[in-house]
Amino acid sequence: VNSLLVEHLPSRVVPIFCFKSYLRFNARNTSDAGYDAAYEPGALIWRSTDPNDPRVQDETKFGDNGEKPLAMTCLNFFSLFPGVAMPIIVSFSKTSYRTGKQLLSLARFCGGDMWSRAYQLGSTLQKNEQGTYYTLTIASLGASSESERRQAEAWWTMFSQNASELKVHEETEPGADLNV
């Protein structure tokens, strides 16, 4: 689902380039670790694309006793969805972060430009003690089409130099993964 326009997207995706972003949301409960009374529960406290930002350095690492980081890391893929007129950023975080790393590995190890291959984006239902949620899945579809490669290269030329300035639309419920 395109979370900005709230419309279903095709499952075929052609990633063009990848960049990381880092986000810190306020805890939802005043008793939770990292709660900041200066912000509403669940509010975005800060966002960065700079891995050298001191907040990123301090708040994206696990604690000495295995405590979860206060901030999250997102793998963002600036992508082409065939039949969609504008590029879409597919963001992998939290429970889908491992899938984002899988996509990045597939794209890097297959050689050529990232957009030389297409993938099937899907979701799978997960359950744990905290509830039921969806995580993203990825599967290789092989080579992208000539028209996909042309469009992807054009968008890469237009947007890749300013990737740190791209804005990713975060869900209003930062703890929930998007239902695909």
Side-chain angles (χ1 to χ4, degrees):
V1 171
N2 177 338
S3 62
L4 187 59
L5 300 176
V6 191
E7 64 184 12
H8 287 274
L9 294 169
S11 60
R12 184 180 177 91
V13 61
V14 178
I16 301 171
F17 61 87
C18 180
F19 63 99
K20 282 187 177 182
S21 60
Y22 309 90
L23 305 157
R24 167 134 185 237
F25 290 96
N26 199 17
R28 292 183 191 184
N29 299 310
T30 58
S31 60
D32 289 347
Y35 181 80
D36 187 335
Y39 297 90
E40 292 291 321
L44 180 65
I45 294 176
W46 60 262
R47 170 190 331 196
S48 180
T49 56
D50 180 3
N52 297 314
D53 183 321
R55 299 170 300 183
V56 171
Q57 295 292 313
D58 292 340
E59 297 183 15
T60 59
K61 294 177 178 55
F62 282 88
D64 293 337
N65 297 314
E67 301 90 355
K68 288 184 179 181
L70 293 173
M72 68 177 171
T73 303
C74 302
L75 277 176
N76 304 296
F77 289 84
F78 189 85
S79 302
L80 166 88
F81 283 82
V84 176
M86 63 187 226
I88 303 289
I89 297 172
V90 180
S91 187
F92 296 87
S93 63
K94 296 182 123 189
T95 56
S96 291
Y97 190 79
R98 184 178 298 197
T99 303
K101 287 179 18 180
Q102 178 187 5
L103 175 57
L104 185 58
S105 293
L106 286 169
R108 285 185 173 163
F109 293 126
C110 289
D113 296 312
M114 186 174 281
W115 62 81
S116 65
R117 301 189 62 78
Y119 300 89
Q120 175 92 28
L121 184 64
S123 65
T124 184
L125 183 64
Q126 303 286 322
K127 293 180 184 181
N128 67 16
E129 64 280 351
Q130 295 179 354
T132 303
Y133 56 95
Y134 286 89
T135 58
L136 295 172
T137 61
I138 200 78
S140 179
L141 294 175
S144 55
S145 72
E146 180 63 33
S147 64
E148 290 168 339
R149 288 191 295 276
R150 280 194 307 272
Q151 182 64 65
E153 185 172 14
W155 284 347
W156 181 85
T157 301
M158 284 191 283
F159 295 104
S160 66
Q161 299 305 313
N162 299 316
S164 66
E165 297 172 18
L166 293 171
K167 299 293 182 210
V168 179
H169 176 249
E170 285 92 25
E171 291 298 300
T172 55
E173 293 290 332
D177 280 328
L178 185 63
N179 294 342
V180 178

